[in-house]
Amino acid sequence: MDDIQQYLEQHREAFEDDLCDLLRIPSVSADSRHRDDLRQAANWVFGQFKSLGLAAELVETAGHPIVYAESPPVDGVPTVLVYGHYDVQPPDPLDEWISPPFEPTKRDGNVYARGATDDKGQMLTHVKSVQAVLATAGKLPIQIKYLIEGEEEVGSANIEPFLESRREQLACDVIVISDTSQFGPGRPAITYGLRGIAYYELRLTGPKQDLHSGTFGGAVTNPLNTMAKMLAALVDNNGRIQIPGFYGDVVELTDAEREQFAALSFNEASFMKQIGVGGVSGEAGFTTLERRWARPTCDVHGFWGGYSGEGAKTVLPCRAGAKFSFRLVPNQDPKKIGESLEQMLRSLCPPGIKLELIDLHGAPGVLVPLDNPFMSAAAKAIERGFGTAPVFIREGGSIPIVNAFAEKLGADTLLLGWGLDDDNTHSPNEKFCLADFHRGIKASAALWDELGKLGA
Ligand code: BES
Ligand code: MN
Ligand code: MN
């Protein structure tokens, strides 16, 4: 391990340079204009695996390519599958970035760029750790397989068929994902729960073209008014979602878990300061951490139609649209929720409005078992990498593939996140703390070592 440590110290700059190379590729999966950039990012990741001497493959899908790689089998010890994503969220609004999103820039110990923490920087820690082990020990203590995809940010639609068709090749004992966060600076964490998601677009169409609101208003249903009513009907004043049956399958928090959340010494004042708000609200009867990690929610992401240019225009718009999603907790089924939602919206739809509900993507929530040797190995590895033992947390974000891994490969996932809640993921000025990048690489190398100490 001393050799590895020395290698890591000597290669800090080289690792950061490699990360910056990847961050320069604008691999925005939601935007079809970036198709070639996604392929370039996939090729870059593929090139990393090739240069480590691993068997690697660029797998074509109906969407963006999947990068698969594996090291040779090692008998008598666990096999690990590392999952990550090379795609990123759109960078807009562009004028709010201090340095451009695809020109990685180092400032105050961080690297700023779209994808820095989500997930290029975090994913790369598991590549660089293997580079260090191979360069110093010549071989890995365990077999590592990599599955790096380019469609996580758009719902991972093409990876399930891949899992299905490659069950044997992907066979593993445990999955490792670094695409979550620490509890705070200097407080590394293992995440044992994620929320799921059910994401929709709603389109309402009224008259065949925009109308004068004086001539027609009051007698013709306005799609934007209807949209506002429908969206408002989704949640009541206590933060309870109003879709019939919505809470039927919710796994409630146990008292023990609520106590554990409370014991994490979450500071609400600094949370409010971090996001720049003077107050918080949410489902009545739950704390902020409970609301964020373990309760379902509804958020509108976009809402359009009519006139929003300068001055006043008296128009009765002919159409309205909205994008919104529900975060789900374990055991809620996105399909069931979609059906119930559609029924509810149709029942609220007045005469003269055509309603179209599009299911954009869905994934169930996740809870992973804590009581197994892989968790203990991960906790030891984090302590070795970060100098502090991890706390166990849940998080509110979603990683669609985790349930499919459990179902299709029969393996549980270790969610070992090196990010921070103030990394500005999905927003302007995304960053990743460079010290955490290096600690993550160190923890990753320690993880291969700890897992190698476990019998299969
Ligand atoms: N890395 C995030 C997931 C995440 C975010 C986990 C915050 C824990 C805390 C991932 O890249 C992501 O953004 N997922 C999407 C999934 C969606 C597009 C299906 C999300 O959560 O919105
Ligand atoms: Mn991510
Ligand atoms: Mn993301």
Side-chain angles (χ1 to χ4, degrees), residues 204-432:
L204 301 179
T205 319
K208 67 179 185 193
Q209 65 187 61
D210 286 0
L211 303 173
H212 191 295
S213 70
T215 314
F216 296 96
V220 177
T221 317
N222 179 326
L224 259 180
N225 291 29
T226 303
M227 180 63 83
K229 278 192 196 168
M230 285 186 174
L231 295 178
L234 293 174
V235 188
D236 75 4
N237 288 336
N238 287 316
R240 295 281 293 184
I241 289 145
Q242 299 298 298
I243 301 173
F246 185 85
Y247 291 92
D249 296 326
V250 164
V251 177
E252 296 294 336
L253 277 158
T254 62
D255 289 343
E257 217 179 354
R258 297 185 85 167
E259 278 164 29
Q260 284 157 20
F261 284 15
L264 283 168
S265 68
F266 172 71
N267 186 328
E268 193 144 294
S270 42
F271 171 74
M272 289 180 0
K273 192 161 171 236
Q274 178 204 319
I275 53 178
V277 296
V280 291
S281 69
E283 188 182 0
F286 294 93
T287 67
T288 293
L289 277 189
E290 290 166 354
R291 289 170 177 168
R292 291 169 60 206
W293 291 355
R295 295 302 299 170
T297 57
C298 170
D299 279 291
V300 177
H301 307 295
F303 183 9
W304 60 90
Y307 184 71
S308 51
E310 194 181 343
K313 179 185 182 193
T314 47
V315 61
L316 194 164
C318 64
R319 64 179 79 88
K323 286 182 198 269
F324 57 95
S325 74
F326 303 90
R327 291 286 165 175
L328 308 179
V329 298
N331 212 38
Q332 285 186 291
D333 175 1
K335 281 268 164 326
K336 248 165 100 174
I337 282 162
E339 285 159 19
S340 189
L341 168 70
E342 176 144 14
Q343 255 184 11
M344 173 181 170
L345 294 176
R346 291 207 181 278
S347 76
L348 295 174
C349 194
I353 298 285
K354 191 183 119 222
L355 178 155
E356 191 187 359
L357 182 69
I358 302 158
D359 180 342
L360 287 175
H361 59 66
V366 174
L367 274 177
V368 296
L370 284 164
D371 185 20
N372 61 66
F374 303 125
M375 272 292 168
S376 318
K380 281 185 203 150
I382 288 178
E383 184 156 7
R384 283 169 61 181
F386 285 76
T388 313
V391 289
F392 291 84
I393 63 171
R394 287 169 70 163
E395 284 188 84
S398 312
I399 304 178
I401 197 65
V402 177
N403 272 291
F405 280 145
E407 274 167 32
K408 303 245 170 358
L409 304 181
D412 289 321
T413 296
L414 298 170
L415 295 163
L416 314 177
W418 320 136
L420 289 170
D421 274 350
D422 69 354
D423 277 343
N424 302 322
T425 46
H426 297 197
S427 31
N429 304 307
E430 179 177 347
K431 66 163 174 70
F432 188 32

Side-chain angles (χ1 to χ4, degrees), residues 91-103:
D92 54 275
L94 282 174
D95 56 2
E96 289 183 28
W97 285 77
I98 294 165
S99 50
F102 298 109
E103 292 174 27

Side-chain angles (χ1 to χ4, degrees), residues 56-70:
E57 194 189 338
L58 198 74
V59 184
E60 298 300 333
T61 72
H64 305 303
I66 292 170
V67 187
Y68 179 76
E70 62 183 36

